[in-house]
């Protein structure tokens, strides 16, 4: 089941994201950041266990970003990431957003979901604010991928 996140989910979301952040797959998130952005988050639950999360963060007039997409290791390759991403894209469509991007090293996963690789420089400067907090900065290994919504 996929639904919007609630306050009671936040600590579990943080644990999931920060476990991946330890290997550099995601940026770590503080509790305050997660509480502030709770409305961005969807979670996937099965038998009362949260198996995945995904955030859709609006960054510009008609542009949003997929952030903190994570599926528990033991639940990967079962289509959960795919379903979370589709749900976030559906919300973007309902909001009238035209472009959704991700900064990622999971190029194959996003390609499979019809995202196309673009030059990072094509994205507005505003979105680079977070990069400074990344432990890998300035040696970034992520690519920018974009999905165009037909509204
Ligand atoms: C990326 C991630 C969210 C994918 O979640 P998932 O639930 O395993 O993905 P799905 O099962 O929905 O995969 C859909 C398709 O994407 C492709 N795919 C998924 N993970 C892949 C990988 N690691 N390598 C290559 N292809 C992959 C596959 O083609 C898969 O279809 P298939 O299993 O029929 O071949 C998950 O691997 C994860 O949490 N990774 C760590 C955090 C991360 O890097 N997040 C992305 C940051 S933007």
């Amino acid at each position: 089941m996929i639904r919007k996140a609630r306050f009671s989910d936040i600590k579990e979301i943080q644990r999931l994201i920060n476990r991946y952040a330890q290997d550099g797959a995601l940026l770590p998130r503080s509790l305050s950041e997660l509480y502030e952005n709770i409305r961005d988050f969807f979670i996937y639950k099965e038998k009362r266990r949260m198996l995945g999360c995904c955030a859709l963060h609006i960054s510009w007039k008609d542009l949003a970003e997929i952030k903190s997409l994570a599926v528990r290791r033991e639940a990967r390759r079962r289509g959960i990431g795919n379903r979370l991403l589709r749900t976030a894209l559906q919300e973007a469509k309902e909001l009238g957003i035209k472009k959704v991007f991700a900064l990622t090293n999971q190029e194959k996963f996003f390609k499979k979901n019809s995202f196309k690789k673009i030059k990072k420089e094509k994205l507005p400067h505003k979105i680079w604010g977070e990069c400074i907090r990344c432990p890998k900065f300035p040696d970034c290994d992520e690519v920018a991928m974009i999905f165009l919504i037909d509204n």
Side-chain angles (χ1 to χ4, degrees):
M1 178 192 81
I2 294 180
R3 63 161 169 78
K4 290 295 260 187
R6 300 177 188 144
F7 283 109
S8 55
D9 303 314
I10 289 293
K11 287 195 173 155
E12 216 176 344
I13 292 175
Q14 189 194 32
R15 274 196 295 274
L16 178 60
I17 296 172
N18 289 357
R19 230 173 278 139
Y20 278 120
Q22 282 168 8
D23 343 311
L26 292 177
L27 272 180
R29 299 285 168 203
S30 68
L31 279 178
S32 85
E33 238 179 318
L34 292 171
Y35 287 132
E36 278 176 28
N37 295 296
I38 188 169
R39 280 177 290 201
D40 286 354
F41 276 85
F42 292 96
I43 64 157
Y44 180 96
K45 261 194 141 169
E46 202 175 84
K47 294 183 190 148
R48 294 185 164 189
R49 251 186 113 213
M50 196 198 77
L51 297 184
C53 64
C54 177
L56 178 82
H57 185 74
I58 295 165
S59 27
W60 203 242
K61 191 180 81 180
D62 57 0
L63 181 72
E65 180 177 1
I66 296 293
K67 287 174 119 175
S68 300
L69 171 60
V71 174
R72 274 184 201 279
R73 278 182 211 283
E74 66 275 18
R76 277 157 76 158
R77 303 304 285 257
R78 283 180 37 200
I80 297 173
N82 201 306
R83 289 179 58 189
L84 281 163
L85 183 60
R86 291 281 132 200
T87 305
L89 292 175
Q90 180 57 35
E91 184 178 59
K93 186 176 167 99
E94 283 160 18
L95 286 164
I97 286 165
K98 299 225 165 34
K99 291 175 271 177
V100 178
F101 73 95
L103 298 170
T104 185
N105 49 28
Q106 295 282 339
E107 198 176 329
K108 281 191 186 148
F109 169 80
F110 282 96
K111 233 182 208 158
K112 185 118 188 193
N113 280 288
S114 310
F115 277 66
K116 300 226 163 11
K117 198 167 158 184
I118 53 157
K119 286 200 168 131
K120 288 185 198 166
E121 301 75 45
K122 293 223 163 152
L123 295 168
H125 281 187
K126 180 176 178 280
I127 65 145
W128 302 112
E130 276 202 337
C131 295
I132 206 92
R133 290 198 305 111
C134 178
K136 293 179 194 164
F137 184 80
D139 301 315
C140 179
D141 61 356
E142 295 187 330
V143 294
M145 314 268 311
I146 200 152
F147 181 88
L148 302 179
I149 299 181
D150 200 6
N151 270 312

